[in-house]
Amino acid sequence: KVNLRTCNVSYIAGICLYCVFFSGVNCGKDGSVDNHMEMGKKLLAAGQLADALSHFHAAVDGDPKNYMAYYRRATVFLAMGKSKSALPDLSRVIELKPDFTSARLQRGNLLLKQGKLDEAESDFKKVLKSNPSDKEEKDAQSQLTKSDEIQRLVAQSRSSFNSKDYMTAAAQLDTIIETCVWDVTSREMRVECFIQMGEMGKAISDLKAASKLKSDNTQAFYKLSTIYYNLGDHEMSLNEVRECLKLDPDHKQCFSHYKQVKKLNKQIQSAEELIQEQRYAVSKYEAVMKTEPNVHHFTLLAKERMCHALAQGQQASRAIKVCSEVLQSDPENVNVLKNRAEAYVQEEQYEEAIKDYETAGKHSENDRQIKEGLERAQRLLKQSQKRDYYKILGVKRTAQKKEIIKAYRKLAQQWHPDNFQDPEEKKKAEKKFIDIAQAKEVLTDPDMRTKFDHGEDPMDPESQQGHHHHNFHGGFHGFQGFNPFGSGPFNFKFNFN
């Protein structure tokens, strides 16, 4: 036996809750309910809402006809932001005590927020007829006037919507939702307005609210998924359609959409994994465009990634074509501008590369890659106006060492000075022969080739700026005793005057 009057607050709370919830022992009907009510009030005042709620639950269980127990519990629910739970309790209070104007006024306010205007007006009118306090009368009259205004706006918004005046309808619905914040119908109508106006971000915000305000709102999740899909966000689209299927696994629209999004998502992830591994499989993104040919955002995404893959895979001409297609729709796309600039460099169109890097730099000022790419393109342009070892040997910048040596031997045989008798032609051949030999030396030496590819001429003293460099002193005479063909099958006799 416990003397509740001699115990502290926490101990009383624990004993009473134990009696009700665990032992099944009734600590005395009136005393138990009174104690729970008293403890609940103290805990509510202290801001301990969860504990207060437990006591009011116990009070309701102990006396199901105690209207104050329901009212106090509704008060806690409201303080916790659980209006849906508060509403049945307020209705029970009014059922038990119809003249409890405070409960009726609170229920009217909740119904107004939910957009149940007729029910809300009924409560406000009954409050005004039930001898309310001055404050209750003032509040009820104010809310009734507001409800009448909302009724008028609802009719106007529907008329505007049916007339396809979506901007006006959206503005009217804005005013309605300011008061009827939990009104799902108004939010869903405003969603349609936003979609028609192209305001997809606002439509998404309203749909997310609607999915929480209305339980089992599969249609909200379906619409969210389709909007994200049409915006090219396959991951968010997949997340939302899964929420729909959690509520209803047999939902036909959601299941059909889920299969499409899942397939597309898998293709994109597979393609991205290959790119991360520096395996540039363009065909993966071509498959994405085949899977979804009608959504412009996915076409752009696929082409943007193809542009990157082609540029990195040294397929410059195709890269330029695909990148240009993307830039027609998205001219400020920094990544595509950088990739096309790289492709232009590979094609030795340095002036075009510089333009792309400069445009990209305007939209991404602190991008180190842009700065370095621009500087490189400028050096290569300057270099191209002087001596280009790739052009001398007639090979591409991507040529392997084997190709370079093969081209060198062919040209060295062709331009060997002993092949020419005329003094002028011989002199020209000597110069050409030296250029060919220098080109071979630079391009077959990894360090020198890297320098040259970054716009620095290893054979140019000015370009070296004090660094070690190679050159052939004494013109063609510097080649005495040098066999440019190494161990190859060619054997030339050098004759000098």
Side-chain angles (χ1 to χ4, degrees), residues 1 15 72 77 85 140 176 178 206 234 249 274 291 294 296 321 340 371 382 403 441 444 446 466 484 486:
K1 293 183 179 180
I15 290 295
R72 296 293 185 193
F77 279 136
S85 300
I176 293 168
E178 281 177 12
D206 265 353
H234 53 96
L274 290 175
T291 298
N294 300 318
H296 183 61
K321 180 178 180 294
R340 189 171 72 170
K371 183 181 178 183
K382 185 178 179 182
E403 298 173 65
E441 183 175 2
T444 55

Side-chain angles (χ1 to χ4, degrees), residues 314-326:
Q314 306 291 320
Q315 298 183 55
S317 59
R318 278 189 71 193
I320 291 168
K321 180 178 180 294
V322 175
C323 294
S324 298
E325 289 173 2
V326 178

Side-chain angles (χ1 to χ4, degrees), residues 161 166 169-170 173 188-198:
F161 184 84
Y166 300 113
L173 288 162
E188 288 178 342
M189 184 183 289
R190 190 167 68 171
V191 166
E192 295 304 319
C193 292
F194 286 144
I195 290 173
Q196 294 298 327
M197 293 160 62

Side-chain angles (χ1 to χ4, degrees), residues 109-171:
N109 289 335
L110 292 180
L111 291 168
L112 181 60
K113 287 183 177 182
Q114 289 182 346
K116 297 177 179 178
L117 303 177
D118 292 337
E119 295 176 53
E121 287 186 7
S122 175
D123 273 346
F124 296 141
K125 287 175 181 178
K126 286 180 180 178
V127 168
L128 293 172
K129 292 178 182 178
S130 64
N131 193 27
S133 67
D134 290 345
K135 184 177 185 307
E136 288 173 338
E137 181 180 8
K138 182 180 177 182
D139 288 346
Q141 188 59 60
S142 172
Q143 293 295 77
L144 186 59
T145 302
K146 187 179 289 184
S147 182
D148 287 340
E149 175 65 15
I150 296 297
Q151 290 272 29
R152 184 180 63 81
L153 279 170
V154 167
Q156 290 178 349
S157 66
R158 287 175 181 167
S159 176
S160 299
F161 184 84
N162 291 334
S163 301
K164 298 184 178 180
D165 184 358
Y166 300 113
M167 189 171 291
T168 300

